[in-house]
Amino acid sequence: MSLLEVKNLRIEYPSRHGVFAAVNNLSFQIERGEIVGVVGESGAGKSTVGNAVIDLLSPPGTVAGGEVFLDGEKISGLKSEAMRKVRGSKIGFIFQDPMTSLNPLFTVEQQLKETIHANMKVSDREAYQRSLALMKQVGIPQPENRLKQYPHQFSGGMRQRVVIAIALAGEPDLIIADEPTTALDVSIQDQILNLIRDLCIQNNVGCMLVTHDMGVVSNVTDRVAVMYRGDLVEFGPTKKVLGEPDHPYTRSLISAVPRSDVKLDRFPLVSYIEEAGDIEPIDIKTHWLGQSQDQRTYSGSLLSVENVNLRFTTKDSFFESRREYVQASNNVSFDVQEGETFGLVGESGSGKSTIARVIAGLYMPNSGKVTFEGVDLTALRSEKERRPMRRQMQMVFQNPYTSMNPRMKIFDIIAEPIRFHKLTSGEAETRQVVYDLLDYVGLGRMAGIKYPHEFSGGQRQRISIARALATRPRLLICDEPTSALDVSVQAQILNLLKDLQDELNLTMLFISHDLPVIRQMCDRVGVMKMGTLLEVAETEKLFNTPQHEYSKQLISLMPEFTGLRESVAV
């Protein structure tokens, strides 16, 4: 008897435009002690399947057909009260977006203890001790202090680790992990995946691992299911599916995985597309994007970060001596030349995103300065002074769920910076520019009439990139821009960024925990740990002969993809 059995599952989303089938007659099984990976493009239905299993489909989604069995008992169609008893105690769920799955009004300790009390009969003291053990288990430093803090006081990767701890709190039989390592660096990713793998082996727990990271799938899963537009196109042992795929879509998907062993000029694209949806080749020189208002070049470093220090208060007090701080950045200095892609890597909480926000003007450093084309940005105080610089520096944020206004249509989200900076001659030109941007990021102009909640995580990230490009910036700050993207869309977006950089002399600060992507995209790389910049080197030199011990450790932990390597023509 299988731990989880899904039979002929069909999920529909009715709308005024008709009924959209997100999942078509899907069937698969997960055994005890087994990890099954679910891969496919964003919007393929991967997360939808996981949500349907625990009856958490977003309205108006409905299960139109099929059945779900857990340990031989039917759980599909259970009433709300009965389903609540299944969640947590029998099925643990690691959600894709940690910020929206944590309550901002409660401390991490309160949220962990709430889950433990709901699923286990223990005292408050025992619940605290288990919370402490879980925090240590998922690799959060200073767990005693961190338990007292709120979600907004954690980095993206640390919030993801808290969500994982909550999912494990009830000692479930089945773990459904929806992109559990999206915001995690390679060291913590390795730790978390080892934790999940050990749980499956030692406690006979099953795991459904939804991910776009083919390296993780290759190294961790026993079997893999490949989904394409709601259909299960291939299902079998991981070694067989990744090494000798039968379906043309699987073969094409595998060929698009970024190489970690060698740097390529361009990313291979997924060529198996049933209908037009690729990014069309563009002549940027004649396009609106190429008609930048500032095509001058600057003789020195375009961006310079000098001895930037920033600390956050973790415990406030009227008395200075009783206040506690965390040093987010410690005398960080580096330069970025015009037309260069400078990468920042390091574990979650190392200060990468903090530096990006300082450069963008969202944080003010305690000391040090940031200069852009010779202008000291930290000395600009009024909005009138900062506005011209804001247009020239745009940021793609790590979290596509919270960086867009849920009440605005996609068209207006992308058009807003164009209108704000008065970059077009009128509304007709604005409309054309927005439609072009939607085409170039692979969504199509019909996406403009929809709202953010109608898109998957990867699709929302594409919208964020389109919005960032809308002002024709000279510096693009990319904070984990591909963390929510599957390999096929990632290849399209990164190729687009490379094209824009080549044609427009675009400068990029590229922050990522995905080391293969860093190797393919960056000219130079800086390695950060605990707010300190440890090493800066040319990309190939860093990957081939890293100098610092921490750099060596990061590269040694990089997941190796062992599937089909050659690009397959289909």
Side-chain angles (χ1 to χ4, degrees):
M1 181 188 300
S2 300
L3 173 62
L4 177 71
E5 187 172 5
V6 177
K7 294 183 178 179
N8 302 317
L9 185 67
R10 180 177 175 83
I11 302 170
E12 295 179 347
Y13 284 84
S15 71
R16 59 185 177 183
H17 303 294
V19 176
F20 170 69
V23 175
N24 298 309
N25 298 321
L26 179 71
S27 297
F28 68 95
Q29 307 82 32
I30 298 177
E31 308 298 332
R32 284 191 173 275
E34 180 184 41
I35 301 178
V36 173
V38 183
V39 300
E41 296 181 359
S42 58
K46 308 185 301 293
S47 299
T48 303
V49 173
N51 290 332
V53 168
I54 59 171
D55 194 28
L56 285 181
L57 281 176
S58 300
T62 58
V63 176
E67 298 171 309
V68 179
F69 295 86
L70 183 68
D71 243 353
E73 295 184 11
K74 184 179 177 181
I75 61 172
S76 54
L78 286 178
K79 292 184 179 180
S80 298
E81 187 61 34
M83 197 65 200
R84 269 197 292 269
K85 294 179 180 178
V86 173
R87 301 190 198 109
S89 61
K90 294 184 178 180
I91 302 179
F93 203 106
I94 302 170
F95 291 94
Q96 184 175 1
D97 177 32
M99 198 58 191
T100 55
S101 56
L102 294 172
N103 193 323
L105 301 179
F106 292 95
T107 65
V108 168
E109 179 183 347
Q110 289 173 307
Q111 297 184 61
L112 270 166
K113 287 168 67 175
E114 179 187 26
T115 306
I116 293 167
H117 283 305
N119 297 293
M120 308 171 83
K121 293 182 179 180
V122 295
S123 66
D124 195 64
R125 178 64 183 170
E126 290 172 321
Y128 172 78
Q129 291 298 331
R130 175 150 178 77
S131 299
L132 199 60
L134 284 165
M135 293 282 277
K136 291 178 181 176
Q137 203 172 21
V138 297
I140 293 181
Q142 301 177 323
E144 294 86 354
N145 296 332
R146 287 295 197 170
L147 275 174
K148 308 297 182 184
Q149 295 179 349
Y150 292 86
H152 74 272
Q153 295 174 282
F154 288 74
S155 69
M158 286 189 176
R159 283 196 290 263
Q160 186 70 293
R161 284 184 259 175
V162 171
V163 171
I164 292 169
I166 292 173
L168 301 177
E171 298 182 345
D173 297 320
L174 173 70
I175 298 170
I176 300 176
D178 188 2
E179 305 282 5
T181 59
T182 290
L184 303 182
D185 56 271
V186 289
S187 56
I188 300 301
Q189 173 179 279
D190 183 69
Q191 184 178 336
I192 293 300
L193 292 174
N194 283 334
L195 174 62
I196 293 174
R197 185 164 46 208
D198 290 344
L199 275 172
C200 292
I201 296 171
Q202 296 171 9
N203 299 351
N204 219 18
V205 172
C207 179
M208 175 180 168
L209 180 64
V210 177
T211 182
H212 63 265
D213 191 326
M214 301 298 282
V216 168
V217 170
S218 175
N219 293 344
V220 174
T221 63
D222 301 296
R223 291 189 294 163
V224 59
V226 182
M227 291 189 67
Y228 180 68
R229 297 188 180 177
D231 293 318
L232 184 65
V233 297
E234 192 158 353
F235 185 42
T238 302
K239 188 175 180 180
K240 165 67 173 66
V241 173
L242 298 187
E244 301 174 3
D246 295 323
H247 198 277
Y249 172 71
T250 309
R251 302 180 73 194
S252 190
L253 185 71
I254 291 170
S255 71
V257 177
R259 299 287 293 266
S260 61
D261 55 340
V262 64
K263 188 168 184 175
L264 305 175
D265 290 333
R266 289 182 65 81
F267 291 84
L269 296 177
V270 172
S271 54
Y272 180 79
I273 303 292
E274 290 181 354
E275 58 186 64
D278 283 13
I279 299 173
E280 295 295 332
I282 59 174
D283 183 359
I284 297 177
K285 292 181 179 178
T286 60
H287 187 265
W288 181 85
L289 280 172
Q291 300 168 10
S292 176
Q293 295 176 356
D294 295 287
Q295 284 298 316
R296 64 186 184 278
T297 57
Y298 182 64
S299 56
S301 300
L302 184 69
L303 175 70
S304 180
V305 177
E306 301 176 43
N307 300 315
V308 167
N309 285 279
L310 179 63
R311 65 181 185 178
F312 295 111
T313 304
T314 56
K315 183 181 178 181
D316 204 0
S317 174
F318 179 79
F319 300 101
E320 173 68 27
S321 61
R322 295 183 181 178
R323 295 174 189 165
E324 295 180 4
Y325 304 93
V326 59
Q327 193 73 25
S329 62
N330 184 19
N331 286 325
V332 174
S333 299
F334 61 86
D335 295 322
V336 183
Q337 305 302 314
E338 186 160 25
E340 179 184 31
T341 300
F342 186 88
L344 276 181
V345 299
E347 62 188 36
S348 58
S350 64
K352 306 185 302 296
S353 297
T354 299
I355 289 297
R357 284 168 167 76
V358 169
I359 294 169
L362 301 178
Y363 291 158
M364 187 60 65
N366 298 111
S367 63
K369 65 178 182 178
V370 177
T371 57
F372 179 81
E373 205 175 35
V375 178
D376 184 358
L377 301 181
T378 54
L380 303 179
R381 298 299 177 185
S382 69
E383 178 59 31
K384 185 177 180 180
E385 291 176 311
R386 291 180 180 180
R387 185 171 297 181
M389 294 300 174
R390 289 191 190 280
R391 188 195 73 75
Q392 303 215 32
M393 295 189 298
Q394 289 294 306
M395 188 165 178
V396 179
F397 291 94
Q398 181 176 356
N399 190 341
Y401 289 86
T402 56
S403 60
M404 286 186 282
N405 190 329
R407 297 187 177 184
M408 291 176 67
K409 289 184 178 180
I410 300 306
F411 177 89
D412 293 313
I413 287 173
I414 298 175
E416 185 178 30
I418 299 173
R419 292 165 177 160
F420 180 80
H421 292 287
K422 299 180 174 61
L423 300 179
T424 56
S425 58
E427 192 61 24
E429 187 181 2
T430 299
R431 184 172 296 276
Q432 186 60 48
V433 169
V434 172
Y435 286 155
D436 285 348
L437 287 167
L438 285 170
D439 284 339
Y440 296 155
V441 296
L443 291 174
R445 56 187 58 194
M446 289 303 294
I449 64 173
K450 298 180 180 180
Y451 290 89
H453 74 271
E454 298 180 74
F455 295 90
S456 68
Q459 289 169 326
R460 293 186 212 198
Q461 192 66 298
R462 285 188 260 176
I463 295 166
S464 297
I465 292 171
R467 178 180 58 186
L469 293 174
T471 66
R472 298 179 294 201
R474 295 184 67 198
L475 173 66
L476 195 61
I477 304 170
C478 301
D479 187 5
E480 303 280 5
T482 60
S483 63
L485 303 181
D486 56 86
V487 291
S488 58
V489 176
Q490 174 179 269
Q492 293 177 341
I493 294 300
L494 294 178
N495 281 341
L496 175 62
L497 290 175
K498 281 191 170 189
D499 289 341
L500 288 168
Q501 185 175 37
D502 292 341
E503 298 290 344
L504 302 180
N505 206 28
L506 186 67
T507 306
M508 286 192 284
L509 176 63
F510 201 93
I511 298 169
S512 179
H513 65 268
D514 193 328
L515 292 179
V517 169
I518 284 285
R519 184 168 194 169
Q520 300 299 327
M521 288 296 296
C522 300
D523 301 301
R524 289 187 300 139
V525 181
V527 181
M528 292 191 68
K529 184 180 183 181
M530 298 181 68
T532 303
L533 189 63
L534 302 177
E535 181 177 359
V536 176
E538 293 182 1
T539 304
E540 287 305 289
K541 184 177 179 181
L542 178 73
F543 277 84
N544 293 324
T545 56
Q547 300 300 306
H548 198 279
E549 286 301 317
Y550 179 68
S551 304
K552 295 176 183 177
Q553 179 190 355
L554 279 182
I555 293 171
S556 69
L557 291 172
M558 182 168 54
E560 293 185 7
F561 178 67
T562 56
L564 186 70
R565 267 302 181 196
E566 64 274 13
S567 180
V568 183
V570 292

